[in-house]
Structures are given as structure tokens and as C-alpha cells.
């Protein structure tokens, strides 16, 4: 497994993986920064506003970003006709495990950047809302879990179709529907795994049309939603592994 | 001589279609074995089964004297190099980097890379990205990947596909010298029969998943005698004598063309024609090329 991970890192050389994953985080933070964070009326619930805003941004940005990461990771093997050689050198389990490990590391970057960005926004704009480490931690784990779910799903699509268009197409579709799903009935939203950036939110919002002011309030952590995402992650991973194990090359 | 590859009753079916049927392959150590067949004959499927890339529907594969199973597969393949269909490689990496990845995964010392690059004459191009390589260079890099770790067995599926004549010649000499230079047994598939004839010592002919012939090339050629050509000063006299004695032949200018025959019978025939005054000035046996033999076999005709 270690040697396969080393090989994955070698393959990532000149594939510009790091700029891509950093770019995803920067894009999400820049978008979140367009909210009126410095508005004096916002400072009292600054952190809640950032977490809520980032969840909306993630619903748009992350599905396509995860599709790009997932398909790039497998596309390199398809383009290089490499599977028939790799499968004679190492076990399929080790090769798949290394892909999953590298992919997970790449997926981890954006939530970490968002975590750091949220803290940075608090310092820069001097939020008066007390920082809740639990809410931040919850946001981080939920974002990571949904990102990982989408990434593994896109990786599985790439494995199944070899052509990267279905994976990228799904990424575009999920990104477009992810945003709208946030404003649809909760029962419907819960059926869409890529909308779980919203379902796992621990912050609620009320918009007063007369004053045009949004207020944010904490809601109980939807643990069941995180459990659903983690379970789906496991299922998708198992399906991907089954594909790799059984696919004839 | 030990067999480096042996298959027993190897089958692969897709639905009701037999891609490979009851294949008993035997590749002796230290030879270049030509695996010949038309497109779709089952050559690539067989080679993939030898490498464990696809699972056989029935039968056994023995590599290097051991029956291959999921537990020992990788250990056996570490002593094997392969190039299946098209060379593998990452276009955004250099030739050297591609070899480093394969060497690492194969558990081979990276110093081996210099040696294999030299063998395939790619030392000067080692730092160029793979996407800048020509097809011939990619094929040679594929061979270099296969050669890492000095494998006892090389399995090469149509390695000259897409190469120009110079590339084919180069690849042929590279592969041909493997047994002597590296002690490697080579199993090579191709449908370019002329190329095989100049390269292999052993041959297996596959058609529609069935092995039609297997053995030394010389044996195949020996059993595949061609027509006898008799050049005569007076062909009309010879033709008349043939007709009188009920011997089938045809005339091509000053030459009579007879079907293949035993050497004793040929000697008697020449003597009789000379006595008749036909003026025998030349006797030649037309050797069937491997291509002709192959066509006769795959058309279901017996080899004469």
C-alpha cells in the first residue's frame, strides 16, 4: 500500500493537483467573502453567517470540484492505458487503496481551508458572536464527509465508464441542483446526497423582508444526516472496490 | 526442457461465445514463441489470462512451473514482464519518471532503469515527456518497463503494432536477442506472419479460440512442403510424359509445377524425365511461407 501511495504521489507530479485543490478552497472563501461580513448588523452572528454562507457556496462549488478531482485521479490511468500494467505489479486492493488515500487527502484540503478562513474572517472583521468550536468542528466534519461522498461517487463513475464525461456531467448537474435543493422542501432535499451541505447545517436563518435583515440561530446538530452521509460513503467505496476487483482490463 | 508457460484446458467464454477453447499451451524455456492468429482469434484474451488480468472460465495456468492462483500471482508476475496491446505510460511524466514508477511498484532497484533504457536505446530521450515520444519510442519504453527486474518471461502482445518498417526491424532485433542476452523466454503474439517467421523458434497457431498447431517452426515448415518446380529444356515432352503416366502437373513457361512429393519419388521422376529427353535443368521446392501455412490451417485445410 505504501509503495502504491508513493506511486500515486509520483503520478501527481506535474498534474498540478495542489493548485487545483487550493484553488477550490480559495474560490469558496472568496465567494463567501462577498457576503456583507463587515456590515455592523452582521457582526453579532458573523460566524453563523459564514458557516451558513459557506454551506450554500459548497453546494454549488463542491460537486463540480469533486467531479474534477475524482475524474482526474482515474483519468490518468485511462489515458495511460496503465491498468493492465499496474494490475500485474501490485494488488488491485493496494492500488485502489492508494487512490482513495490520495483522493481523501485532496478532499481534506478545502474543508481545512474553509475552517481556517472562517477563523480568519472572524479576526479580520472582528465578529462579536462568540466562537463555537463545536459548531466549527461540526461544519468541518460534515463538509469533509459530503465532499468525500461526492468524490468517491465521481471516482466510481470514472471507474465504471472510463470516459470522464459522465462523471463531469454529474458534477455539473449536482452543482446546479445543489443550490436549488437548499430552497426546496426538506423532505425532497434529504433525498439528494449532494444537498447534504444544507441538510447537515447546524445554523438556521430567518429573513425579514420588511427590514431586509437576516438573523441566524443555532439548530441541533442533525447527527442522523452525518450518519447517512458516512454510511453512503462506505457503500460507494465498497461499490468502487467491487468494480476495481471484478473489472477485466 | 522445462515449460515456462503451460496452460491446461484453458477456456474463456463470454455468454455463449468461446473466446478461448480448451487451450493447452506449452512454451519451452529460452525460446521466442510466436503466438499467431487473425484478429479476434483469442490471442490477447489468452495473454491476459496468463497475466491474471481476466479470470479463465475453466482450466489452469502454470507460470514458471507453478500453478498460478490469487496468492502467488503477484510473486510469479514479478518475474514476468508484459506489454499488452498498447504500451502503458503517463503522458505528463518523462520516460525516466514512468520507469521509476514501474520500478518502484515492481520492487526493482532504480539503477536498473539505466540498463533497460540502454537496451531499448532510449537513454538520450529519458528526460522527455512521454507525450512527446513517437509511437515507436513508446513501444520501446513499454519493452523497457517489461524488462525491469530482468524477468524470466516476457509476454508481448503485438508489440510492433503501428510501427513503421524501421521500427519493426528494430523491435524484431531487440526481441530476437532477448533469450541470448538476458536469458528471457519470450511469448509474442502477432498477425504479421512474415515478421514472426524471422523471429520465433516455436510457434502456436490460434484461430477462433482453438490451437491449430503448436511446435517448432521448423517442424511446421517441414510438414508444409510446397510445390515442386521442374525447369525443362523441352517442357512439352515432359508434359506429355506426365500425362501418359497420370501425374498431375501444370506448365508455367519452361517450368512444370508438381504437387509436393517425397524425395525418393522426386528422384525417380527426374531420372525418368531425363531418360525421355525432356532436358531437366533445374529442380526446386517451393517452400510455403508461414503465411500460406497459416491460411491453410485457418481455412480448415490440413497442412500437407
Amino acid at each position: 500500500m505504501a509503495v502504491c501511495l508513493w506511486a500515486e504521489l509520483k503520478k501527481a507530479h506535474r498534474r498540478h493537483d495542489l493548485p487545483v485543490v487550493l484553488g477550490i478552497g480559495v474560490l469558496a472563501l472568496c465567494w463567501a467573502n462577498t457576503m456583507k461580513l463587515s456590515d455592523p448588523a452582521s457582526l453579532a452572528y458573523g460566524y453563523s453567517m459564514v458557516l451558513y454562507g459557506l454551506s450554500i457556496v459548497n453546494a454549488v462549488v463542491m460537486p463540480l470540484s469533486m467531479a474534477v478531482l475524482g475524474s482526474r485521479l482515474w483519468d490518468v490511468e485511462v489515458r495511460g492505458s496503465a491498468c493492465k500494467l499496474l494490475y500485474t505489479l501490485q494488488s488491485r486492493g493496494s492500488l485502489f487503496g492508494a487512490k482513495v488515500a490520495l483522493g481523501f487527502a485532496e478532499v481534506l484540503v478545502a474543508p481545512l481551508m474553509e475552517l481556517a478562513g472562517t477563523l480568519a474572517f472572524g479576526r479580520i472583521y472582528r465578529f462579536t458572536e462568540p466562537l463555537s468550536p463545536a459548531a466549527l468542528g461540526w461544519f468541518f466534519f460534515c463538509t469533509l464527509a459530503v465532499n468525500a461522498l461526492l468524490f468517491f461517487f465521481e471516482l466510481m463513475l470514472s471507474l465504471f465508464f472510463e470516459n470522464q464525461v459522465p462523471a463531469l456531467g454529474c458534477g455539473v448537474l449536482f452543482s446546479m441542483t445543489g443550490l436549488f435543493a437548499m430552497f426546496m422542501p426538506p423532505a425532497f432535499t434529504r433525498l439528494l446526497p449532494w444537498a447534504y451541505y444544507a441538510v447537515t447545517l447546524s445554523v438556521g436563518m430567518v429573513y425579514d423582508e420588511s427590514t431586509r435583515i437576516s438573523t441566524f440561530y443555532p439548530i441541533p446538530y442533525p447527527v442522523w444526516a452525518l450518519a447517512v452521509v458516512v454510511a453512503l460513503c462506505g457503500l460507494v467505496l465498497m461499490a468502487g472496490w467491487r468494480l476495481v476487483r471484478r473489472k477485466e482490463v | 526442457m522445462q515449460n515456462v508457460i503451460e496452460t491446461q484446458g484453458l477456456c474463456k467464454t463470454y455468454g455463449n461465445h468461446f473466446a478461448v477453447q480448451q487451450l493447452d499451451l506449452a512454451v519451452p524455456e529460452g525460446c521466442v514463441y510466436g503466438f499467431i492468429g487473425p484478429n479476434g482469434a483469442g490471442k490477447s484474451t489468452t495473454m491476459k489470462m496468463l497475466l491474471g488480468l481476466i479470470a479463465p472460465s475453466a482450466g489452469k495456468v502454470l507460470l514458471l512451473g507453478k500453478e498460478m492462483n490469487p496468492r502467488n500471482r503477484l510473486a510469479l508476475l514479478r518475474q514476468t514482464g508484459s506489454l499488452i496491446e498498447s504500451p502503458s505510460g503517463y503522458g505528463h511524466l518523462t520516460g525516466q519518471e514512468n520507469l521509476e514508477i514501474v520500478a518502484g511498484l515492481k520492487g526493482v532497484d532504480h539503477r536498473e532503469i539505466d540498463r533497460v533504457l540502454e537496451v531499448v536505446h532510449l537513454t538520450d530521450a529519458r528526460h522527455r515527456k512521454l507525450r512527446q515520444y513517437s509511437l515507436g519510442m513508446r513501444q520501446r519504453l513499454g519493452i523497457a518497463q517489461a524488462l525491469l527486474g530482468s524477468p524470466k518471461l516476457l509476454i508481448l502482445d503485438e508489440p510492433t503494432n503501428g510501427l513503421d518498417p524501421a521500427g519493426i526491424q528494430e523491435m524484431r532485433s531487440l526481441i530476437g536477442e532477448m533469450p541470448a542476452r538476458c536469458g528471457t523466454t519470450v511469448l509474442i503474439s502477432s498477425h504479421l506472419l512474415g515478421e514472426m517467421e524471422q523471429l520465433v523458434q516455436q510457434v502456436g497457431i490460434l484461430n477462433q479460440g482453438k490451437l491449430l498447431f503448436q511446435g517448432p517452426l521448423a517442424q511446421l515448415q517441414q510438414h508444409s512442403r510446397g510445390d515442386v518446380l521442374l525447369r525443362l529444356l523441352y517442357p512439352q515432352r515432359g508434359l506429355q510424359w506426365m500425362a501418359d503416366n497420370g501425374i498431375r502437373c501444370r506448365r508455367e513457361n519452361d517450368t512444370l509445377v508438381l504437387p509436393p512429393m517425397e524425395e525418393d519419388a522426386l528422384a525417380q521422376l527426374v531420372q525418368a524425365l531425363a531418360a525421355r529427353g525432356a532436358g531437366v535443368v533445374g529442380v526446386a521446392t517451393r517452400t510455403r511461407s508461414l503465411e500460406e501455412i497459416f491460411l491453410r490451417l485457418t481455412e480448415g485445410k490440413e497442412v500437407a
Side-chain angles (χ1 to χ4, degrees), chain A residues 10-11 77 81 84 87, chain B residues 73 84 88 90 92 100 105:
Chain A
K10 288 282 284 186
K11 287 180 220 170
E77 310 301 349
S81 308
K84 55 188 186 288
Y87 291 170
Chain B
R73 179 179 161 265
I84 300 293
S88 302
Y90 304 104
H92 65 290
E100 283 172 7
L105 290 173

Side-chain angles (χ1 to χ4, degrees), chain A residues 56-69:
Chain A
I56 294 175
V57 169
N58 285 343
V60 180
V61 171
M62 293 304 169
L64 183 56
S65 301
M66 295 304 116
V68 170
L69 290 180

Side-chain angles (χ1 to χ4, degrees), chain A residues 18 27 38 49-50 92 99 102 105 110 120-121 131 160 176 207 210 212 236 242-243 245:
Chain A
L18 191 60
L27 175 66
S38 57
M49 189 174 171
V50 170
R92 294 183 184 214
K99 286 255 178 244
L102 179 68
F121 285 144
L131 176 68
F160 190 78
M176 288 168 70
Y207 180 66
S210 58
R212 293 188 177 180
V236 171
R242 193 180 152 89
L243 264 177
R245 193 162 47 101

Side-chain angles (χ1 to χ4, degrees), chain A residues 41-208:
Chain A
S42 307
L43 297 181
Y45 30 75
Y47 289 112
S48 297
M49 189 174 171
V50 170
L51 296 184
Y52 192 90
L54 275 175
S55 295
I56 294 175
V57 169
N58 285 343
V60 180
V61 171
M62 293 304 169
L64 183 56
S65 301
M66 295 304 116
V68 170
L69 290 180
S71 63
R72 276 165 57 94
L73 204 59
W74 192 253
D75 190 43
V76 73
E77 310 301 349
V78 176
R79 282 171 186 262
S81 308
C83 289
K84 55 188 186 288
L85 175 63
L86 294 178
Y87 291 170
T88 64
L89 304 176
Q90 288 288 330
S91 72
R92 294 183 184 214
S94 304
L95 292 163
F96 182 67
K99 286 255 178 244
V100 168
L102 179 68
F104 190 77
E106 291 185 352
V107 164
L108 186 64
V109 174
L112 277 176
M113 287 178 70
E114 289 183 352
L115 196 65
T118 305
L119 294 171
F121 285 144
R123 296 286 293 272
I124 293 166
Y125 297 113
R126 300 180 189 283
F127 294 156
T128 54
E129 181 188 13
L131 176 68
S132 163
L136 264 181
W138 176 259
F139 170 78
F140 169 76
F141 283 114
C142 289
T143 306
L144 177 62
V146 182
N147 278 1
L149 170 61
L150 292 179
F151 173 82
F152 294 142
F153 179 74
E154 300 291 359
L155 182 62
M156 193 188 69
L157 281 184
S158 301
L159 286 166
F160 190 78
F161 289 108
E162 303 254 309
N163 186 324
Q164 303 310 308
V165 172
L168 291 173
C170 274
V172 172
L173 183 74
F174 293 172
S175 277
M176 288 168 70
T177 54
L179 176 63
F180 297 116
M182 297 190 79
F183 303 104
M184 288 181 182
F188 178 73
T189 308
R190 285 172 191 164
L191 296 175
L192 309 178
W194 57 95
Y196 270 57
Y197 294 104
V199 178
T200 54
L201 263 176
S202 63
V203 178
M205 183 190 74
V206 176
Y207 180 66
D208 186 338

